[in-house]
């Protein structure tokens, strides 16, 4: 009978402890996810404003039309998330745990019989979820959208039909085209001038009421004009030739747009089989972006400990931010030199990852019971302990 009662009490205690553990885990995960999403939104807003300024500057220079700005802004989101996702998780865990330490919530969790392991389990669970998202982003989503973004920019530079309402340079800067209005594939109020004549050709100006564009197989474009006037000649020689026409065809050479694939647009399979230093650096950099989620999360748990009686929260989280910045600045520097062929990315990038991972593990075990006992055994009696 006593054995049965003891067994039931032990079982009920385990069930109660498991239920409390699930509640605490859900609470920590939910609070951290809310904080991470808020930080992610703020950082994305900052990066989007910066990217929007760059795109508008490109529009002012006449390289791309205004109507593709929003599309390019949306296509650049995955590339921004590559660096923002680890930072948002790092700051989310750091802020939540620091707040809970300052509010003595962690002390209450410890008093309920749960050690630091529950915080580490929650951090590892969050890091696994974010690592999956980061892997999908850097392996498939970001390179694919980067390739599509290059196609959109290439079409915008080559296709003069997107230049309605602005002067557009074509044919290596020799020809200027202005289209007043575009309806479907029909142009209206067209102005075309050749400002740099070649060989014996004279400069000319053409104005037409309507027209449309057709493309050749080599990428060149033929402008078909209807009902216009051509003015050919120079003012110095006074040999103007004014011609009215019903139909006119003008061959417009397309701008030379690079068709080579950049490393950020290459798939992981292409990067793996490439022997170029830049491709090898990009391959290991993408893997580092995934692994960094785990490394930074392991490091942030011990660095978020705050003793409100000894120091402020801001001063306590400052070392964590410095370590994060040191890690990514070091990795970016190594990636840059590896892309130049000066360093081996397989060795240096992964050496940095291993060193910071070991540092994170050391920081986690410093405050465990075995290490405390070891310090107490090594330190002489009466000596102050850390």
């Amino acid at each position: 009978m006593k054995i049965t009662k003891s067994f039931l009490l032990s079982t009920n205690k385990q069930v109660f402890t498991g239920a409390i553990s699930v509640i605490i885990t859900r609470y920590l995960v939910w609070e951290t996810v809310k904080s991470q999403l808020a930080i992610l939104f703020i950082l994305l807003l900052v990066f989007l404003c910066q990217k929007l300024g760059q795109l508008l500057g490109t529009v002012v220079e006449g390289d791309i039309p205004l109507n593709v700005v929003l599309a390019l802004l949306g296509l650049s989101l995955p590339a921004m998330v590559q660096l923002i996702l680890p930072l948002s998780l790092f700051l989310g865990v750091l802020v939540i745990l620091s707040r809970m330490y300052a509010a003595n919530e962690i002390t209450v969790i410890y008093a309920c019989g749960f050690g630091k392991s529950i915080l580490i389990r929650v951090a590892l669970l969050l890091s696994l979820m974010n690592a999956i998202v980061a892997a999908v982003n850097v392996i498939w989503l970001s390179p694919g959208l980067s390739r599509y973004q290059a196609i959109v920019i290439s079409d915008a530079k080559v296709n003069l039909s997107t230049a309605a309402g602005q002067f557009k340079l074509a044919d290596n800067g020799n020809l200027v085209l202005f289209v007043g209005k575009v309806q479907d594939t029909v142009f209206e109020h067209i102005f075309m001038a050749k400002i740099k004549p070649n060989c014996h050709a004279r400069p000319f100006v053409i104005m037409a009421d309507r027209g449309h564009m057709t493309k050749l197989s080599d990428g060149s474009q033929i402008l078909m004009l209807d009902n216009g006037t051509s003015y050919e000649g120079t003012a110095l020689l006074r040999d103007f030739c004014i011609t009215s026409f019903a139909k006119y065809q003008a061959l417009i050479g397309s701008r030379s747009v690079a068709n080579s694939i950049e490393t950020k647009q290459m798939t992981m399979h292409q990067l793996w089989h490439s022997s170029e230093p830049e491709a090898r650096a990009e391959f290991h950099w993408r893997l580092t972006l995934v692994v960094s989620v785990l490394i930074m999360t392991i490091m942030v748990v011990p660095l978020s400990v705050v003793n409100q009686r000894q120091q402020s929260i801001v001063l306590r989280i400052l070392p964590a931010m410095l370590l994060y910045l040191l890690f990514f600045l070091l990795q970016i520097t190594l990636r840059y030199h590896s892309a130049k062929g000066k360093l081996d990315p397989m060795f240096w990038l992964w050496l940095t990852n291993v060193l910071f991972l070991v540092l994170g593990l050391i920081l986690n075990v410093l405050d465990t019971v075995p290490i405390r006992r070891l310090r107490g055994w090594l330190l002489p009696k009466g000596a102050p302990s850390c």
Side-chain angles (χ1 to χ4, degrees):
M1 188 69 178
K2 293 182 179 180
I3 297 177
T4 305
K5 289 183 178 180
S6 176
F7 175 76
L8 290 176
L9 290 174
S10 176
T11 304
N12 291 334
K13 183 179 180 181
Q14 292 177 359
V15 173
F16 179 76
T17 303
I20 297 297
S21 176
V22 171
I23 294 173
I24 294 175
T25 301
R26 288 180 178 177
Y27 172 73
L28 291 173
V29 170
W30 176 241
E31 291 296 320
T32 306
V33 168
K34 288 194 301 183
S35 177
Q36 181 188 0
L37 290 178
I39 295 171
L40 183 64
F41 176 77
I42 295 173
L43 293 176
L44 273 178
L45 188 61
V46 173
F47 278 79
L48 281 174
C49 292
Q50 181 183 6
K51 185 66 175 181
L52 180 61
Q54 295 176 356
L55 291 175
L56 291 179
T58 309
V59 171
V60 172
E61 293 175 357
D63 292 335
I64 60 173
L66 184 61
N67 58 352
V68 299
V69 169
L70 291 181
L72 295 179
L73 198 63
L75 292 173
S76 61
L77 277 176
M80 300 179 191
V81 174
Q82 288 184 0
L83 284 175
I84 296 178
L85 187 63
L87 179 59
S88 64
L89 177 61
F90 183 84
L91 292 177
V93 176
L94 183 63
V95 169
I96 291 301
L97 292 185
S98 299
R99 180 184 62 80
M100 294 181 67
Y101 272 110
N104 295 321
E105 294 183 47
I106 301 296
T107 305
V108 174
I109 293 176
Y110 289 166
C112 294
F114 300 98
K116 194 176 181 179
S117 59
I118 191 171
L119 303 180
I120 298 177
R121 286 201 304 269
V122 170
L124 291 177
L125 176 62
L126 290 169
S127 66
L128 179 61
M129 295 166 53
N130 282 266
I132 294 174
V133 176
V136 172
N137 183 30
V138 301
I139 295 176
W140 293 288
L141 186 60
S142 183
L145 292 184
S146 181
R147 289 192 296 271
Y148 185 71
Q149 184 181 16
I151 294 174
V152 171
I153 295 176
S154 175
D155 291 341
K157 288 183 176 181
V158 172
N159 189 6
L160 296 178
S161 63
T162 60
Q166 59 179 322
F167 288 93
K168 191 79 171 181
L169 284 174
D171 197 17
N172 298 324
N174 291 337
L175 198 65
V176 176
L177 179 67
F178 178 86
V179 178
K181 187 178 180 181
V182 177
Q183 291 184 347
D184 296 331
T185 59
V186 179
F187 303 161
E188 295 182 2
H189 309 299
I190 303 166
F191 171 87
M192 185 171 62
K194 192 164 187 177
I195 55 179
K196 297 179 182 179
N198 298 326
C199 300
H200 300 290
R202 295 185 298 177
F204 63 84
V205 174
I206 296 176
M207 291 184 290
D209 296 334
R210 298 169 63 86
H212 64 277
M213 189 82 69
T214 59
K215 289 185 179 180
L216 300 179
S217 58
D218 59 353
S220 300
Q221 297 170 316
I222 296 180
L223 183 60
M224 312 289 292
L225 301 178
D226 302 327
N227 301 326
T229 306
S230 172
Y231 303 89
E232 185 177 357
T234 60
L236 295 178
L237 299 178
R238 298 181 181 180
D239 57 346
F240 278 100
C241 180
I242 302 176
T243 306
S244 297
F245 58 85
K247 298 289 182 179
Y248 186 91
Q249 295 184 7
L251 179 63
I252 301 176
S254 60
R255 288 188 177 183
S256 58
V257 179
N259 294 322
S260 59
I261 300 179
E262 299 180 1
T263 53
K264 64 179 181 179
Q265 303 169 6
M266 298 173 65
T267 63
M268 295 295 287
H269 184 267
Q270 291 173 332
L271 293 174
W272 172 256
H273 289 88
S274 177
S275 59
E276 295 294 328
E278 189 174 356
R280 296 182 66 244
E282 177 70 17
F283 178 82
H284 293 285
W285 168 251
R286 292 186 190 180
L287 295 179
T288 297
L289 289 175
V290 179
V291 176
S292 64
V293 176
L294 174 64
I295 297 174
M296 292 293 103
T297 308
I298 292 177
M299 291 183 60
V300 75
V301 175
L303 292 174
S304 60
V305 179
V306 174
N307 190 342
Q308 199 172 16
R309 294 174 298 177
Q310 296 179 1
Q311 53 190 326
S312 64
I313 297 179
V314 177
L315 292 178
R316 190 64 183 86
I317 67 177
L318 185 60
M321 293 303 305
L322 291 178
L323 277 176
Y324 183 90
L325 291 176
L326 177 63
F327 174 79
F328 273 99
L329 289 177
L330 185 58
Q331 291 285 35
I332 291 173
T333 303
L334 293 174
R335 177 199 178 192
Y336 174 78
H337 289 289
S338 299
K340 298 296 182 180
K342 299 178 181 179
L343 299 175
D344 184 7
M346 181 180 292
F347 177 78
W348 289 103
L349 267 69
W350 287 102
L351 176 63
T352 305
N353 291 332
V354 171
L355 290 178
F356 274 83
L357 179 60
V358 172
L359 177 61
L361 295 177
I362 292 175
L363 291 174
N364 277 280
V365 301
L366 281 179
D367 199 32
T368 57
V369 175
I371 298 299
R372 289 182 180 180
R373 292 176 179 175
L374 180 62
R375 286 204 303 261
W377 181 73
L378 293 177
L379 292 176
K381 293 182 178 181
S385 58
C386 298

